[in-house]
Amino acid sequence: MKAVQLVAHGQPGKFEYRDLPDPQVGPGDCLVQVMACGLNHLDLWLEENGLPLPPQLPRIPGCEIAGRVIQAGAEVTAWKPGDRVAVQSNVFCDNCEYCERGEESLCLRSELLGIQRDGGFAEKIAVPARLLVALPQAVDFATSAALTLAGSTAMHMLTDRVKVKAGDWVLVMGASSGVGSAAIQIAKNLGAKVITTGSTEAKRQLGRQLGAEHALDPADPKWPAEVRKITNKRGVDICVEHVGGEVLPKIFDCLARGGSVVTCGATAGREISFNLWPFFVRQQRLIGSYGRNRSDMRATLEWAAAGKLKPVIHSIVPLDKTAEAFGLLRARQVLGKIVIRP
């Protein structure tokens, strides 16, 4: 099969487009023909060796996979060749205390496709059958590959880690990101009023097109004050955050009493400091969110099939141009998602 491997870390890293043997299929696995695979910031962290999980190279990146089952292992009865599937990127054990109660995002033995295991920037991938989720007929492969990692992350944040209510004010950081573009749509469908941010006018316009009532420039030092002005000095009920660094403390200036920040990333830095006194006086919450549960995957695909959640696809790139796609994402020149198509 054809595949792209990262063979050396860097900014940029060194990628090679190679012929590799087909993956071995274990008794509980399925061999999937990859039809599309989304590119994510997680892939950039792999490229630059910026993860606390040191990966072994060479590694095939790519964690947001959609495709067709080619072969089912001897012990697999739920899937057959030809089935259209999305692949859950967080590899869960299915037998720890958290998996047994449907909280696979908390699995004690989890791994990540494309990081600790080879991923989907290849023509084929072998994965445990428990990772497969049926793809509704109304959802094409590119849509799945643009939603089932970032979109299900946003779904987990807004329907599991916090509960958005009709009438809530929700601040979504980064309208043009995969998480941000999905979170705006999810919050709107749940009846919220949305404020978002974007570093360019094109990104802010995208946020408004997705349903945000207001879109602010995070480079403007007065943007937190503008959030409070929009909300009549009250502040927002929930903030969806995936930036970290110096941005996160500013978000607490935007938060209402009793409000929550739910965060799933740290692209601008992993260590922060903030003023603890107003945090506890205002009874605010900082909530971590990681990955997704199978229920979030299914909900994301159901919303996509119903037209409630639509992908924002910047471009669809052939497999042999994967390195160039990394460059676009690294340079922050992407509106929405890049999808790799083998």
Side-chain angles (χ1 to χ4, degrees), residues 107-126:
C107 176
L108 294 172
R109 291 176 283 277
S110 66
E111 294 182 311
L112 291 172
L113 287 180
I115 305 296
Q116 293 140 300
R117 300 185 181 206
D118 281 336
F121 294 155
E123 293 178 328
K124 301 173 186 176
I125 184 171

Side-chain angles (χ1 to χ4, degrees), residues 30 32 69 79 85-88 127-134 294:
C30 283
V32 175
V69 174
W79 304 101
V85 295
V87 181
Q88 189 161 337
V127 295
R130 64 182 178 274
L131 300 187
L132 302 184
V133 177
R294 285 181 67 77

Side-chain angles (χ1 to χ4, degrees), residues 33-327:
Q33 178 187 4
V34 179
M35 303 303 295
C37 185
L39 179 65
N40 291 275
H41 206 96
L42 185 62
D43 298 303
L44 293 187
W45 281 336
L46 170 70
E47 180 190 27
E48 67 190 39
N49 199 21
L51 289 163
L53 313 166
Q56 295 182 347
L57 300 185
R59 173 67 71 220
I60 301 172
C63 44
E64 198 165 16
I65 303 160
R68 288 192 181 93
V69 174
I70 301 172
Q71 176 187 347
E75 298 176 359
V76 177
T77 59
W79 304 101
K80 63 183 185 302
D83 285 345
R84 301 169 71 252
V85 295
V87 181
Q88 189 161 337
S89 60
N90 49 310
V91 182
F92 55 93
C93 73
D94 209 26
N95 55 30
C96 72
E97 61 175 297
Y98 299 104
C99 289
E100 286 181 349
R101 62 182 190 228
E103 296 181 352
E104 296 90 357
S105 62
L106 292 170
C107 176
L108 294 172
R109 291 176 283 277
S110 66
E111 294 182 311
L112 291 172
L113 287 180
I115 305 296
Q116 293 140 300
R117 300 185 181 206
D118 281 336
F121 294 155
E123 293 178 328
K124 301 173 186 176
I125 184 171
V127 295
R130 64 182 178 274
L131 300 187
L132 302 184
V133 177
L135 201 58
Q137 285 301 317
V139 179
D140 61 31
F141 294 115
T143 293
S144 176
L147 283 178
T148 48
L149 186 142
S152 64
T153 296
M155 186 68 72
H156 185 61
M157 296 172 83
L158 289 173
T159 64
D160 184 290
R161 301 300 292 141
V162 297
K163 305 286 188 182
V164 175
K165 305 184 302 296
D168 281 349
W169 275 106
V170 176
L171 171 62
V172 176
M173 303 302 296
S176 69
S177 67
V179 169
S181 60
I184 291 169
Q185 297 177 73
I186 293 167
K188 287 298 295 181
N189 273 286
L190 293 172
K193 297 168 286 188
V194 177
I195 303 169
T196 192
T197 65
S199 59
T200 67
E201 180 52 37
K203 293 178 179 180
R204 294 189 289 275
Q205 180 60 27
L206 173 62
R208 290 187 285 266
Q209 290 171 353
L210 292 172
E213 282 83 358
H214 304 272
L216 307 178
D217 183 356
D220 180 352
K222 296 181 180 178
W223 75 264
E226 186 64 22
V227 170
R228 299 201 73 86
K229 179 180 178 182
I230 290 168
T231 58
N232 196 26
K233 298 183 180 180
R234 177 182 177 277
V236 298
D237 300 282
I238 292 169
C239 176
V240 175
E241 202 283 324
H242 49 94
V243 182
E246 64 181 19
V247 173
L248 186 51
K250 295 178 182 177
I251 289 170
F252 287 100
D253 295 333
C254 307
L255 206 59
R257 289 175 177 267
S260 300
V261 178
V262 57
T263 181
C264 71
T267 55
R270 299 176 187 175
E271 295 187 6
I272 66 162
S273 62
F274 67 98
N275 188 342
L276 192 57
W277 180 272
F279 176 72
F280 65 73
V281 168
R282 296 170 183 166
Q283 299 187 70
Q284 296 166 336
R285 300 172 182 87
L286 175 60
I287 300 169
S289 186
Y290 182 71
R292 70 223 38 88
N293 300 327
R294 285 181 67 77
S295 58
D296 301 312
M297 282 278 290
R298 292 192 180 100
T300 299
L301 291 170
E302 288 168 3
W303 280 44
K308 296 195 297 182
L309 183 56
K310 298 179 181 180
V312 179
I313 297 177
H314 179 89
S315 59
I316 297 176
V317 175
L319 184 62
D320 61 353
K321 302 296 183 184
T322 297
E324 288 91 329
F326 270 76

